[in-house]
Amino acid sequence: MNRTWLSRMCCALLFVSASAWAAGGYWAGIAEEVCLEVTKVETFAKAGKIEDAKAAFHAAYFGTFEEKKMEIAERSNFGISHTADVEEMFNNFRKAVSKPGTGDVAALAEALRKQLRQDGKALDTAKVNPDGNEGPK
């Protein structure tokens, strides 16, 4: 195995662990990661950098929310209806970013961040595993 790759992975894991701890739990940390990405999207959109905003959105939704299994955790623990509501928030945010004038980017970003933080705390309170299933961590 490449030492540089291993070193980078260890640093990344330490960063994620530190982020999760600072935020109050594993899922709260993941929620904060998604929130940081959402803020990047918002910043790019406000600057008129639509292609950068679209790429940042892709990273937020597919690269963090889905890849780190927060979507699965929400669906498994809060139900399909709640998860569909969160996904609709993401979709409305994406539309507002992609087509300026179709929505208030700042308000949509703030509502999404608020929901993600609330869900992260609730997942931690429920002791949901990092794989998205309930049970002891």
Side-chain angles (χ1 to χ4, degrees):
M1 210 181 305
N2 184 323
R3 285 180 96 94
T4 304
W5 178 85
L6 186 57
S7 176
R8 288 182 182 156
M9 288 303 297
C10 287
C11 288
L13 287 172
L14 286 172
F15 174 76
V16 169
S17 297
S19 297
W21 178 79
Y26 179 80
W27 290 109
I30 298 301
E32 281 306 314
E33 286 183 48
V34 182
C35 288
L36 287 172
E37 293 293 332
V38 166
T39 299
K40 287 180 189 177
V41 175
E42 179 184 13
T43 301
F44 283 133
K46 286 180 178 178
K49 297 180 178 182
I50 304 306
E51 292 306 313
D52 290 335
K54 288 179 184 179
F57 178 85
H58 191 272
Y61 184 77
F62 297 106
T64 306
F65 184 68
E66 281 192 346
E67 193 171 288
K68 295 197 175 179
K69 302 185 190 271
M70 190 164 180
E71 178 190 23
I72 290 169
E74 289 194 4
R75 190 173 345 122
S76 298
N77 294 275
F78 304 145
I80 293 171
S81 179
H82 175 84
T83 307
D85 290 344
V86 174
E87 288 182 336
E88 184 176 359
M89 293 174 80
F90 269 110
N91 193 37
N92 290 338
F93 182 53
R94 180 191 56 78
K95 286 178 186 175
V97 166
S98 299
K99 299 174 187 168
T102 59
D104 183 345
V105 171
L108 291 166
E110 186 55 34
L112 184 54
R113 285 189 294 261
K114 181 179 178 182
Q115 186 64 57
L116 290 166
R117 288 178 176 128
Q118 180 181 342
D119 290 353
K121 288 178 187 175
L123 290 168
D124 284 329
T125 299
K127 298 187 184 323
V128 175
N129 288 311
D131 68 0
N133 296 311
E134 283 191 67
K137 291 184 193 175

